[in-house]
């Protein structure tokens, strides 16, 4: 339980920043978020952007 709380307390990353830091296209990362291939990705209605919560895994297959 403690590890789960520590993972949630870390700072979220915008999907755009995640794409740029990984060398991916922004549209591609947003598409992965929409299809559920990035666990921990949520659409923030306040920012009106996709937000990724660490630890991030990209599930492609």
């Amino acid at each position: 339980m403690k590890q789960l709380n520590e993972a949630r307390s870390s700072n979220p990353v915008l999907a755009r920043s995640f794409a740029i830091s990984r060398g991916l296209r922004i549209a591609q990362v947003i598409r992965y978020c929409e299809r559920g291939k990035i666990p921990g990705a949520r659409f923030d209605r306040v920012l009106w952007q996709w937000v990724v919560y660490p630890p991030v895994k990209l599930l492609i297959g």
Side-chain angles (χ1 to χ4, degrees):
M1 185 74 168
K2 187 175 182 181
Q3 284 182 334
L4 180 63
N5 289 339
E6 289 176 1
R8 289 283 182 186
S9 66
S10 57
N11 293 333
V13 178
L14 293 176
R16 293 174 182 267
S17 300
F18 176 74
I20 292 169
S21 67
R22 302 289 191 251
L24 301 169
R25 290 179 295 161
I26 296 169
Q28 184 179 19
V29 171
I30 290 173
R31 193 174 325 119
Y32 288 154
C33 291
E34 291 172 346
R35 294 182 180 168
K37 295 192 179 202
I38 301 177
R42 305 273 187 266
F43 188 78
D44 190 340
R45 293 179 185 245
V46 175
L47 297 174
W48 207 253
Q49 293 186 25
W50 282 94
V51 178
V52 180
Y53 291 91
V56 178
K57 287 185 180 179
L58 184 59
L59 303 175
I60 302 174

